Amino acid sequence: MEQKRISSEIRFFVWEFADAAILTKKRRQVKRVEIYIKPMEKIQAVAKKEILLQDIAELYAEGMILKDLERLPVFYVPQEEKKTYLLSVLHLVQCIHEKYPQAEVLNLGAADILIEYLPKERKGGRLWSWMKAVFVAAVLFVGAATTIMCFHTDVQLPLIFRNIYYIFYGKKAEMPLLLFIPYSIGLGLGIILFFNHFSSFSLTQDPTPIEIEMTTYEKETNASVIDQLGKGKGEQ
């Protein structure tokens, strides 16, 4: 009896070992799929509540799964109001693993995505847009002109030009136009060259200082919004 019990236990362990070996072999035979995602920092969804993976990230994968990944729903806007939502890249990885458990997801983009939902597309009249542009241009022109005049008054530029004119020509002139006119032209040309864009003409393809500042402002704003929304989730 004892020998039969021992032999049955040995057969049981052999079968268990064989089943485990077969399962391990099958798992190794399953090809792991590499999926590369590059989420954007921020997107706008206009009257679209179902957000797909292709709406918020660039995708790359081998085989036929790329089309399925692009149509994969990852978020649904719960309310019909203008609001910004925070979505973590971990949620994207979870959604992909639910459909492709053997996939290896590699993130090459942002770790947090902002989704700005707009119930309807913003519409503005052409006249109203031109009025706003003219108003902003007028404010900037007056502000820049005031700044330049204050600077010239502070450094006593007119007095400097009078002294330079007297040194070279030996005459006193209250308004030496020979110096003022070239200086004014050079000041305008310098501003145009510095900002690199005048109408549709540009000297190089590099971004202008204003574009750089706007990009920096947008990145800092997105980081602040992500921080605030993240703290809100933590408090909940």
Side-chain angles (χ1 to χ4, degrees):
M1 294 291 293
E2 186 67 21
Q3 291 180 350
K4 289 183 178 180
R5 186 180 65 82
I6 294 174
S7 62
S8 63
E9 290 180 356
I10 292 174
R11 285 197 299 269
F12 174 76
F13 284 116
V14 170
W15 289 338
E16 287 291 328
F17 180 77
D19 291 341
I22 293 173
L23 182 60
T24 303
K25 185 177 180 180
K26 288 183 178 180
R27 287 180 177 176
R28 288 179 178 176
Q29 289 176 350
V30 176
K31 183 180 179 181
R32 291 187 64 86
V33 180
E34 291 186 349
I35 300 174
Y36 297 87
I37 61 174
K38 187 179 180 182
M40 307 174 191
E41 291 184 356
K42 183 179 180 180
I43 67 162
Q44 275 191 349
V46 181
K48 181 181 180 181
K49 287 193 170 185
E50 186 179 53
I51 307 300
L52 306 179
L53 187 56
Q54 66 177 354
D55 296 330
I56 62 177
E58 297 180 27
L59 303 170
Y60 175 77
E62 296 181 353
M64 302 298 294
I65 67 172
L66 183 58
K67 294 296 182 182
D68 293 336
L69 285 173
E70 291 177 346
R71 307 299 300 176
L72 179 65
V74 294
F75 183 74
Y76 188 82
V77 178
Q79 300 175 349
E80 186 65 26
E81 63 178 5
K82 180 182 177 181
K83 192 174 180 180
T84 301
Y85 300 91
L86 178 63
L87 193 65
S88 173
V89 71
L90 296 178
H91 179 73
L92 304 183
V93 175
Q94 181 182 358
C95 293
I96 295 173
H97 276 167
E98 287 178 358
K99 190 166 186 179
Y100 301 99
Q102 297 296 330
E104 181 180 0
V105 184
L106 302 174
N107 179 36
L108 304 178
D112 296 293
I113 306 101
L114 292 175
I115 301 176
E116 183 183 6
Y117 177 73
L118 302 176
K120 57 182 179 179
E121 188 175 1
R122 299 173 183 173
K123 293 183 179 180
R126 193 177 184 87
L127 178 61
W128 175 242
S129 299
W130 275 102
M131 289 176 61
K132 290 191 293 184
V134 170
F135 174 75
V136 172
V139 171
L140 292 176
F141 176 79
V142 173
T146 304
T147 302
I148 293 174
M149 287 187 292
C150 290
F151 170 76
H152 289 166
T153 303
D154 187 45
V155 299
Q156 296 184 346
L157 188 64
L159 180 60
I160 294 174
F161 280 169
R162 294 191 197 104
N163 292 336
I164 293 175
Y165 187 83
Y166 179 76
I167 290 172
F168 283 94
Y169 295 97
K171 299 179 182 179
K172 291 185 177 180
E174 189 67 24
M175 186 66 65
L177 298 179
L178 187 63
L179 297 178
F180 276 102
I181 293 176
Y183 174 78
S184 301
I185 296 175
L187 182 63
L189 291 177
I191 293 175
I192 293 174
L193 293 175
F194 177 76
F195 287 103
N196 194 27
H197 281 262
F198 185 74
S199 184
S200 59
F201 172 75
S202 61
L203 299 176
T204 65
Q205 299 300 320
D206 297 333
T208 65
I210 292 180
E211 291 172 342
I212 293 174
E213 288 297 325
M214 290 299 296
T215 302
T216 303
Y217 169 77
E218 184 177 0
K219 288 183 178 180
E220 292 178 352
T221 302
N222 291 342
S224 178
V225 173
I226 289 173
D227 185 59
Q228 291 179 358
L229 294 177
K231 288 181 179 178
K233 284 187 176 181
E235 294 175 356
Q236 294 176 359

